[in-house]
Amino acid sequence: MAYPDWVLKHKKKGTYVNFANGTYYLYAAHSKRIPGTKKVKRICDGYLGRITEAEGFIPTKDKVSSEIVVYEYGLSYSILQICEKIHKGFIKTSKDEADFIMVMGILKVMHNSCDKSLFFNSYLSVLFPDVDIEKKVSHSTAVHIERAAAMIDVYLNKKLGEDRNNFQNQMRYVFKVNVNSKWYLSKTTESVIELMKKYKLEWGE
């Protein structure tokens, strides 16, 4: 559908327009590749407002009905993708504790600590809700965690090379935000977008 110029001037990168019942509506969105194909699908990130010729863009007046929750997301989720083989390896050898070991290993690499507050402030706690971060850790499990952290560290160095420090610094500032029971990805910089493309990473829904 061809939109009039007074509508198109409000259509910026990362948005799309929908026309319904004589009104133009603006939405935030991002594209995601369909696994196993070269096709991409558009994913709506939320309603932004409506556009009229007389008043221009009129932003929505959505009210926040619950607390806003912000989780660390970019770095932990990227490490999880990059080190997927390591996670699968622990699923084969330590099925019952694989998620716990992987999560603790990622936290240790990111923060040099496995403090429970780091877990609850990370999107890892949403991805792995069954992980009991407060349970007593046996000597055997502790050894596995140290091994996981070492393997993750080595693999990140191998995969990212000289990009590693910049990669970590950039990804640390990508967050998942929950507002009114809906998830939103925080604004990402061009540097983050380029790194995502370079290492063929994708954000989860």
PDB file of all heavy atoms in Angstrom, residues 2 4 9-10 27 40 49 52 59 74 82 101 108 110 112 132 148 155 179-180 185 187 197 200:
ATOM      1  N   ALA A   2       0.522   2.219  -0.855  1.00  0.00           N
ATOM      2  CA  ALA A   2       1.268   3.474  -0.916  1.00  0.00           C
ATOM      3  C   ALA A   2       0.704   4.444   0.123  1.00  0.00           C
ATOM      4  O   ALA A   2      -0.501   4.713   0.151  1.00  0.00           O
ATOM      5  CB  ALA A   2       1.160   4.068  -2.311  1.00  0.00           C
ATOM      6  N   PRO A   4       0.640   8.261   2.045  1.00  0.00           N
ATOM      7  CA  PRO A   4       0.898   9.675   1.718  1.00  0.00           C
ATOM      8  C   PRO A   4       2.172  10.169   2.411  1.00  0.00           C
ATOM      9  O   PRO A   4       2.602   9.623   3.429  1.00  0.00           O
ATOM     10  CB  PRO A   4      -0.344  10.385   2.254  1.00  0.00           C
ATOM     11  CG  PRO A   4      -0.950   9.454   3.241  1.00  0.00           C
ATOM     12  CD  PRO A   4      -0.628   8.081   2.770  1.00  0.00           C
ATOM     13  N   LYS A   9       6.695  10.505   6.563  1.00  0.00           N
ATOM     14  CA  LYS A   9       7.725  11.274   7.271  1.00  0.00           C
ATOM     15  C   LYS A   9       7.850  10.859   8.735  1.00  0.00           C
ATOM     16  O   LYS A   9       8.831  11.169   9.407  1.00  0.00           O
ATOM     17  CB  LYS A   9       7.463  12.774   7.150  1.00  0.00           C
ATOM     18  CG  LYS A   9       6.290  13.293   7.960  1.00  0.00           C
ATOM     19  CD  LYS A   9       6.182  14.808   7.782  1.00  0.00           C
ATOM     20  CE  LYS A   9       5.067  15.401   8.631  1.00  0.00           C
ATOM     21  NZ  LYS A   9       4.981  16.874   8.455  1.00  0.00           N
ATOM     22  N   HIS A  10       6.837  10.152   9.242  1.00  0.00           N
ATOM     23  CA  HIS A  10       6.886   9.667  10.629  1.00  0.00           C
ATOM     24  C   HIS A  10       7.336   8.204  10.716  1.00  0.00           C
ATOM     25  O   HIS A  10       7.522   7.677  11.804  1.00  0.00           O
ATOM     26  CB  HIS A  10       5.506   9.810  11.273  1.00  0.00           C
ATOM     27  CG  HIS A  10       5.029  11.225  11.364  1.00  0.00           C
ATOM     28  ND1 HIS A  10       5.572  12.144  12.231  1.00  0.00           N
ATOM     29  CD2 HIS A  10       4.067  11.882  10.659  1.00  0.00           C
ATOM     30  CE1 HIS A  10       4.968  13.313  12.082  1.00  0.00           C
ATOM     31  NE2 HIS A  10       4.055  13.184  11.132  1.00  0.00           N
ATOM     32  N   TYR A  27       3.786   1.434  14.530  1.00  0.00           N
ATOM     33  CA  TYR A  27       4.250   0.389  15.442  1.00  0.00           C
ATOM     34  C   TYR A  27       5.771   0.271  15.394  1.00  0.00           C
ATOM     35  O   TYR A  27       6.382   0.514  14.347  1.00  0.00           O
ATOM     36  CB  TYR A  27       3.647  -0.972  15.072  1.00  0.00           C
ATOM     37  CG  TYR A  27       2.153  -1.057  15.215  1.00  0.00           C
ATOM     38  CD1 TYR A  27       1.310  -0.619  14.195  1.00  0.00           C
ATOM     39  CD2 TYR A  27       1.570  -1.582  16.371  1.00  0.00           C
ATOM     40  CE1 TYR A  27      -0.072  -0.691  14.318  1.00  0.00           C
ATOM     41  CE2 TYR A  27       0.189  -1.652  16.507  1.00  0.00           C
ATOM     42  CZ  TYR A  27      -0.625  -1.207  15.476  1.00  0.00           C
ATOM     43  OH  TYR A  27      -1.978  -1.284  15.606  1.00  0.00           O
ATOM     44  N   VAL A  40      12.746 -13.663   6.272  1.00  0.00           N
ATOM     45  CA  VAL A  40      12.679 -12.962   7.562  1.00  0.00           C
ATOM     46  C   VAL A  40      11.214 -12.651   7.872  1.00  0.00           C
ATOM     47  O   VAL A  40      10.387 -12.513   6.965  1.00  0.00           O
ATOM     48  CB  VAL A  40      13.497 -11.649   7.553  1.00  0.00           C
ATOM     49  CG1 VAL A  40      14.963 -11.928   7.346  1.00  0.00           C
ATOM     50  CG2 VAL A  40      12.990 -10.703   6.470  1.00  0.00           C
ATOM     51  N   GLY A  49       1.585   4.811  18.343  1.00  0.00           N
ATOM     52  CA  GLY A  49       0.619   5.899  18.273  1.00  0.00           C
ATOM     53  C   GLY A  49      -0.037   5.959  16.901  1.00  0.00           C
ATOM     54  O   GLY A  49       0.168   5.087  16.065  1.00  0.00           O
ATOM     55  N   THR A  52      -2.131  11.506  11.938  1.00  0.00           N
ATOM     56  CA  THR A  52      -3.184  12.214  11.208  1.00  0.00           C
ATOM     57  C   THR A  52      -2.541  13.341  10.412  1.00  0.00           C
ATOM     58  O   THR A  52      -1.453  13.829  10.763  1.00  0.00           O
ATOM     59  CB  THR A  52      -4.241  12.811  12.153  1.00  0.00           C
ATOM     60  OG1 THR A  52      -3.667  13.906  12.888  1.00  0.00           O
ATOM     61  CG2 THR A  52      -4.764  11.767  13.121  1.00  0.00           C
ATOM     62  N   PRO A  59       1.477  10.255  19.863  1.00  0.00           N
ATOM     63  CA  PRO A  59       1.945   9.076  20.607  1.00  0.00           C
ATOM     64  C   PRO A  59       0.885   8.505  21.540  1.00  0.00           C
ATOM     65  O   PRO A  59       0.020   9.231  22.036  1.00  0.00           O
ATOM     66  CB  PRO A  59       3.143   9.608  21.393  1.00  0.00           C
ATOM     67  CG  PRO A  59       2.909  11.070  21.512  1.00  0.00           C
ATOM     68  CD  PRO A  59       2.204  11.477  20.242  1.00  0.00           C
ATOM     69  N   GLY A  74      21.950  -8.676  26.964  1.00  0.00           N
ATOM     70  CA  GLY A  74      22.811  -8.787  25.788  1.00  0.00           C
ATOM     71  C   GLY A  74      23.991  -9.714  25.910  1.00  0.00           C
ATOM     72  O   GLY A  74      24.206 -10.593  25.064  1.00  0.00           O
ATOM     73  N   ILE A  82      26.742 -18.354  21.607  1.00  0.00           N
ATOM     74  CA  ILE A  82      28.080 -18.687  21.127  1.00  0.00           C
ATOM     75  C   ILE A  82      28.560 -20.020  21.685  1.00  0.00           C
ATOM     76  O   ILE A  82      29.200 -20.809  20.989  1.00  0.00           O
ATOM     77  CB  ILE A  82      29.077 -17.553  21.489  1.00  0.00           C
ATOM     78  CG1 ILE A  82      28.740 -16.277  20.706  1.00  0.00           C
ATOM     79  CG2 ILE A  82      30.521 -17.985  21.213  1.00  0.00           C
ATOM     80  CD1 ILE A  82      29.523 -15.062  21.151  1.00  0.00           C
ATOM     81  N   ILE A 101      24.793 -25.607  35.863  1.00  0.00           N
ATOM     82  CA  ILE A 101      26.241 -25.507  35.620  1.00  0.00           C
ATOM     83  C   ILE A 101      26.537 -24.445  34.572  1.00  0.00           C
ATOM     84  O   ILE A 101      27.454 -23.626  34.727  1.00  0.00           O
ATOM     85  CB  ILE A 101      26.805 -26.871  35.169  1.00  0.00           C
ATOM     86  CG1 ILE A 101      26.747 -27.864  36.330  1.00  0.00           C
ATOM     87  CG2 ILE A 101      28.239 -26.724  34.656  1.00  0.00           C
ATOM     88  CD1 ILE A 101      27.012 -29.305  35.918  1.00  0.00           C
ATOM     89  N   LYS A 108      30.096 -16.565  36.155  1.00  0.00           N
ATOM     90  CA  LYS A 108      31.484 -16.511  36.622  1.00  0.00           C
ATOM     91  C   LYS A 108      32.383 -15.829  35.587  1.00  0.00           C
ATOM     92  O   LYS A 108      33.269 -15.047  35.940  1.00  0.00           O
ATOM     93  CB  LYS A 108      31.997 -17.918  36.925  1.00  0.00           C
ATOM     94  CG  LYS A 108      33.289 -17.938  37.737  1.00  0.00           C
ATOM     95  CD  LYS A 108      33.553 -19.300  38.306  1.00  0.00           C
ATOM     96  CE  LYS A 108      34.817 -19.293  39.167  1.00  0.00           C
ATOM     97  NZ  LYS A 108      34.676 -18.423  40.349  1.00  0.00           N
ATOM     98  N   MET A 110      31.322 -13.650  33.304  1.00  0.00           N
ATOM     99  CA  MET A 110      30.899 -12.257  33.197  1.00  0.00           C
ATOM    100  C   MET A 110      31.314 -11.405  34.393  1.00  0.00           C
ATOM    101  O   MET A 110      31.709 -10.247  34.237  1.00  0.00           O
ATOM    102  CB  MET A 110      29.372 -12.184  33.056  1.00  0.00           C
ATOM    103  CG  MET A 110      28.826 -12.639  31.726  1.00  0.00           C
ATOM    104  SD  MET A 110      27.001 -12.590  31.684  1.00  0.00           S
ATOM    105  CE  MET A 110      26.675 -10.850  32.018  1.00  0.00           C
ATOM    106  N   ASN A 112      33.040 -12.856  37.415  1.00  0.00           N
ATOM    107  CA  ASN A 112      33.974 -13.534  38.315  1.00  0.00           C
ATOM    108  C   ASN A 112      33.301 -13.842  39.644  1.00  0.00           C
ATOM    109  O   ASN A 112      33.933 -13.836  40.709  1.00  0.00           O
ATOM    110  CB  ASN A 112      35.237 -12.691  38.547  1.00  0.00           C
ATOM    111  CG  ASN A 112      36.375 -13.518  39.138  1.00  0.00           C
ATOM    112  OD1 ASN A 112      36.490 -14.721  38.849  1.00  0.00           O
ATOM    113  ND2 ASN A 112      37.202 -12.903  39.960  1.00  0.00           N
ATOM    114  N   ASP A 132      17.792 -23.673  40.548  1.00  0.00           N
ATOM    115  CA  ASP A 132      17.777 -23.309  41.970  1.00  0.00           C
ATOM    116  C   ASP A 132      19.129 -22.717  42.333  1.00  0.00           C
ATOM    117  O   ASP A 132      20.054 -23.432  42.724  1.00  0.00           O
ATOM    118  CB  ASP A 132      17.475 -24.550  42.824  1.00  0.00           C
ATOM    119  CG  ASP A 132      17.388 -24.224  44.309  1.00  0.00           C
ATOM    120  OD1 ASP A 132      17.490 -23.029  44.668  1.00  0.00           O
ATOM    121  OD2 ASP A 132      17.229 -25.173  45.106  1.00  0.00           O
ATOM    122  N   ALA A 148      33.152 -25.427  33.368  1.00  0.00           N
ATOM    123  CA  ALA A 148      32.298 -24.714  32.422  1.00  0.00           C
ATOM    124  C   ALA A 148      32.813 -23.299  32.177  1.00  0.00           C
ATOM    125  O   ALA A 148      32.897 -22.841  31.026  1.00  0.00           O
ATOM    126  CB  ALA A 148      30.861 -24.662  32.945  1.00  0.00           C
ATOM    127  N   TYR A 155      36.527 -20.613  24.739  1.00  0.00           N
ATOM    128  CA  TYR A 155      35.750 -20.583  23.494  1.00  0.00           C
ATOM    129  C   TYR A 155      35.458 -19.153  23.054  1.00  0.00           C
ATOM    130  O   TYR A 155      35.466 -18.848  21.855  1.00  0.00           O
ATOM    131  CB  TYR A 155      34.452 -21.367  23.653  1.00  0.00           C
ATOM    132  CG  TYR A 155      33.845 -21.753  22.324  1.00  0.00           C
ATOM    133  CD1 TYR A 155      34.361 -22.800  21.570  1.00  0.00           C
ATOM    134  CD2 TYR A 155      32.752 -21.054  21.799  1.00  0.00           C
ATOM    135  CE1 TYR A 155      33.826 -23.141  20.343  1.00  0.00           C
ATOM    136  CE2 TYR A 155      32.204 -21.385  20.568  1.00  0.00           C
ATOM    137  CZ  TYR A 155      32.746 -22.433  19.852  1.00  0.00           C
ATOM    138  OH  TYR A 155      32.224 -22.768  18.627  1.00  0.00           O
ATOM    139  N   VAL A 179       7.370  -4.409  30.688  1.00  0.00           N
ATOM    140  CA  VAL A 179       6.430  -3.338  31.016  1.00  0.00           C
ATOM    141  C   VAL A 179       5.019  -3.834  30.723  1.00  0.00           C
ATOM    142  O   VAL A 179       4.738  -4.308  29.620  1.00  0.00           O
ATOM    143  CB  VAL A 179       6.694  -2.066  30.184  1.00  0.00           C
ATOM    144  CG1 VAL A 179       5.735  -0.953  30.607  1.00  0.00           C
ATOM    145  CG2 VAL A 179       8.139  -1.610  30.324  1.00  0.00           C
ATOM    146  N   ASN A 180       4.144  -3.751  31.700  1.00  0.00           N
ATOM    147  CA  ASN A 180       2.763  -4.215  31.532  1.00  0.00           C
ATOM    148  C   ASN A 180       2.699  -5.646  31.007  1.00  0.00           C
ATOM    149  O   ASN A 180       1.902  -5.980  30.122  1.00  0.00           O
ATOM    150  CB  ASN A 180       1.986  -3.286  30.593  1.00  0.00           C
ATOM    151  CG  ASN A 180       1.757  -1.907  31.199  1.00  0.00           C
ATOM    152  OD1 ASN A 180       1.921  -1.709  32.403  1.00  0.00           O
ATOM    153  ND2 ASN A 180       1.381  -0.949  30.372  1.00  0.00           N
ATOM    154  N   LEU A 185      13.006  -5.027  23.965  1.00  0.00           N
ATOM    155  CA  LEU A 185      14.462  -4.981  23.887  1.00  0.00           C
ATOM    156  C   LEU A 185      14.889  -3.527  23.950  1.00  0.00           C
ATOM    157  O   LEU A 185      14.315  -2.676  23.259  1.00  0.00           O
ATOM    158  CB  LEU A 185      14.929  -5.616  22.572  1.00  0.00           C
ATOM    159  CG  LEU A 185      16.446  -5.687  22.333  1.00  0.00           C
ATOM    160  CD1 LEU A 185      17.085  -6.694  23.294  1.00  0.00           C
ATOM    161  CD2 LEU A 185      16.727  -6.079  20.888  1.00  0.00           C
ATOM    162  N   LYS A 187      17.089  -0.119  23.318  1.00  0.00           N
ATOM    163  CA  LYS A 187      17.660   0.394  22.077  1.00  0.00           C
ATOM    164  C   LYS A 187      19.091  -0.110  21.919  1.00  0.00           C
ATOM    165  O   LYS A 187      19.883  -0.082  22.868  1.00  0.00           O
ATOM    166  CB  LYS A 187      17.647   1.920  22.092  1.00  0.00           C
ATOM    167  CG  LYS A 187      18.166   2.542  20.796  1.00  0.00           C
ATOM    168  CD  LYS A 187      18.076   4.055  20.842  1.00  0.00           C
ATOM    169  CE  LYS A 187      18.588   4.672  19.541  1.00  0.00           C
ATOM    170  NZ  LYS A 187      18.498   6.152  19.574  1.00  0.00           N
ATOM    171  N   LYS A 197      25.600  -9.101  13.489  1.00  0.00           N
ATOM    172  CA  LYS A 197      25.708  -9.586  12.111  1.00  0.00           C
ATOM    173  C   LYS A 197      27.010 -10.354  11.899  1.00  0.00           C
ATOM    174  O   LYS A 197      27.019 -11.424  11.278  1.00  0.00           O
ATOM    175  CB  LYS A 197      25.642  -8.407  11.138  1.00  0.00           C
ATOM    176  CG  LYS A 197      24.286  -7.733  11.052  1.00  0.00           C
ATOM    177  CD  LYS A 197      24.325  -6.568  10.081  1.00  0.00           C
ATOM    178  CE  LYS A 197      22.976  -5.869   9.971  1.00  0.00           C
ATOM    179  NZ  LYS A 197      23.036  -4.697   9.053  1.00  0.00           N
ATOM    180  N   LYS A 200      26.759 -13.669  13.572  1.00  0.00           N
ATOM    181  CA  LYS A 200      25.533 -14.388  13.228  1.00  0.00           C
ATOM    182  C   LYS A 200      24.700 -14.738  14.476  1.00  0.00           C
ATOM    183  O   LYS A 200      24.273 -15.871  14.675  1.00  0.00           O
ATOM    184  CB  LYS A 200      25.858 -15.655  12.434  1.00  0.00           C
ATOM    185  CG  LYS A 200      26.583 -15.361  11.122  1.00  0.00           C
ATOM    186  CD  LYS A 200      26.930 -16.636  10.374  1.00  0.00           C
ATOM    187  CE  LYS A 200      27.644 -16.310   9.067  1.00  0.00           C
ATOM    188  NZ  LYS A 200      28.040 -17.536   8.311  1.00  0.00           N
TER     189      LYS A 200
END
